[in-house]
């Protein structure tokens, strides 16, 4: 089974960072960092994916309002369409004394989750739990069903002790994971897969490095809906000659002729 072939078809990018971005120097010094990053992914029978992230974020001595969690929800599919990943049911909780106000928005290809209080700043270590539901992330092949997921990518601070556990209705047949600079094919630190759970771990990531996994499930073990596609706008398609557009143009032309006749 060649699970890695899906990397050519799906390139989800999960981009996240501090609400007030630290400087690269701060990130390299390790003053502001993620001390623990635990992710739980549940693949449900209907093809939805439930993601829960537990993040222990150390702001160090810096005054911050909170964090951003950015998820790519649109990306290229072919020359006429973009693929859309629907993200909803976003919920956030935090440790005592940590503002957990949530605001979501979209900008270009990113789905933003802003967590924190714009009128209050915090320092030191704070715990966040972020959960959300994803539709349209699975891929189907002849010999397996598959989820490829960027667990962490482009954080501006280093990450320590990253782990991800994945469950599915009928378990798994294969797991691969990658860690390092964006696009790296280097394997992650540790991984294991059983009939029930797929697990991958990475002891540390430098700032801007990524951690991704791909899990393969038995064929027909989960429902994999067709990809959610959004037609790209183009001038040619905007003026495409179809029965409806030709009819509309004819009606406009007749209306214009009538107005000119009245004026005359």
């Amino acid at each position: 089974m060649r699970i890695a072939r899906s990397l050519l078809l799906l390139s989800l990018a999960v981009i996240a960072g501090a609400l007030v971005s630290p400087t690269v120097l701060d990130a390299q010094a390790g003053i502001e960092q993620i001390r623990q990053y635990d992710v739980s992914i549940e693949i449900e029978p209907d093809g939805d994916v439930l993601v829960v992230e537990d993040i222990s974020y150390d702001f160090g001595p810096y005054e911050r309002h909170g964090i951003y969690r950015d998820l790519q929800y649109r990306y290229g599919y072919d020359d006429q369409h973009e693929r859309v990943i629907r993200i909803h049911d976003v919920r956030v909780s935090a440790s005592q004394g940590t503002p957990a106000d949530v605001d979501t928005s979209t900008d270009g290809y990113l789905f933003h989750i802003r967590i924190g209080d714009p009128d209050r700043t915090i320092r030191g270590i704070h715990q966040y739990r972020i959960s959300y539901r994803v539709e349209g992330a699975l891929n189907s092949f002849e010999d397996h069903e598959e989820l490829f997921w960027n667990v962490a990518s482009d954080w501006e601070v280093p990450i320590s002790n990253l782990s991800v556990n994945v469950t599915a209705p009928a378990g798994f047949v294969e797991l691969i994971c990658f860690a390092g600079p964006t696009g790296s094919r280097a394997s992650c630190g540790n991984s294991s897969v059983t009939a029930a759970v797929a697990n991958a771990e990475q002891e540390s990531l430098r700032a801007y490095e990524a951690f991704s996994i791909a899990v393969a499930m038995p064929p027909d073990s989960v429902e994999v809906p067709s990809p959610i596609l959004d037609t790209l706008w183009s001038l040619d398609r905007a003026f495409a000659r179809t029965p409806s557009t030709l009819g509309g143009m004819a009606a406009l032309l007749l209306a214009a002729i009538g107005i000119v006749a009245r004026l005359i």
Side-chain angles (χ1 to χ4, degrees):
M1 180 179 298
R2 292 173 295 174
I3 191 172
R5 61 186 171 180
S6 67
L7 297 177
L8 300 176
L9 303 176
L10 184 62
S11 58
L12 294 174
V14 180
I15 304 173
L19 187 59
V20 179
S21 300
T23 64
V24 175
L25 179 61
D26 291 339
Q28 290 176 343
I31 296 174
E32 186 166 356
Q33 62 184 301
I34 296 175
R35 292 180 174 270
Q36 188 81 32
Y37 198 132
D38 297 321
V39 181
S40 172
I41 300 175
E42 180 184 356
I43 302 171
E44 300 182 334
D46 62 359
D48 281 6
V49 178
L50 177 62
V51 182
V52 179
E53 303 181 359
D54 288 304
I55 300 172
S56 178
Y57 198 103
D58 186 355
F59 296 99
Y62 301 98
E63 297 284 346
R64 307 297 189 201
H65 293 282
I67 62 173
Y68 267 123
R69 186 68 175 97
D70 288 351
L71 306 171
Q72 184 176 338
Y73 80 109
R74 305 178 72 94
Y75 55 96
Y77 185 79
D78 58 28
D79 61 349
Q80 297 184 13
H81 301 90
E82 285 184 334
R83 186 169 176 178
V84 178
I85 303 298
R86 291 177 180 160
I87 302 167
H88 55 93
D89 290 351
V90 177
R91 301 182 182 184
V92 176
S93 59
S95 53
Q96 185 174 3
T98 303
D101 303 33
V102 179
D103 180 72
T104 62
S105 61
T106 58
D107 179 20
Y109 62 89
L110 290 178
F111 182 91
H112 300 290
I113 306 173
R114 188 183 70 182
I115 306 167
D117 186 344
D119 298 321
R120 177 185 168 193
T121 58
I122 53 177
R123 294 185 297 180
I125 301 174
H126 295 263
Q127 317 296 328
Y128 296 93
R129 167 165 285 192
I130 309 168
S131 67
Y132 49 90
R133 186 172 296 275
V134 181
E135 295 181 43
L138 299 185
N139 298 293
S140 183
F141 299 93
E142 291 184 3
D143 58 349
H144 70 285
E145 317 299 349
E146 183 177 313
L147 172 68
F148 176 81
W149 192 251
N150 281 326
V151 178
S153 178
D154 284 350
W155 283 90
E156 295 179 331
V157 297
I159 300 173
S160 300
N161 305 312
L162 189 151
S163 71
V164 55
N165 286 282
V166 191
T167 59
F172 306 94
V173 294
E174 190 177 0
L175 160 70
I176 57 175
C177 58
F178 308 96
T182 301
S184 172
R185 294 298 182 90
S187 297
C188 68
N190 296 291
S191 64
S192 63
V193 60
T194 67
V197 179
N199 171 265
E201 299 176 346
Q202 182 71 17
E203 184 176 346
S204 63
L205 290 175
R206 296 177 180 176
Y208 300 104
E209 289 190 333
F211 182 87
S212 306
I213 64 165
V215 291
M217 296 159 282
D220 302 319
S221 60
V222 295
E223 181 180 348
V224 181
S226 300
I228 303 169
L229 302 180
D230 189 11
T231 302
L232 292 171
W233 186 91
S234 71
L235 187 63
D236 183 60
R237 277 191 286 278
F239 289 92
R241 292 179 293 277
T242 66
S244 60
T245 58
L246 289 175
M249 291 173 64
L252 287 174
L253 179 60
L254 290 174
I257 292 173
I259 293 171
V260 171
R262 286 186 180 184
L263 291 174
I264 292 174

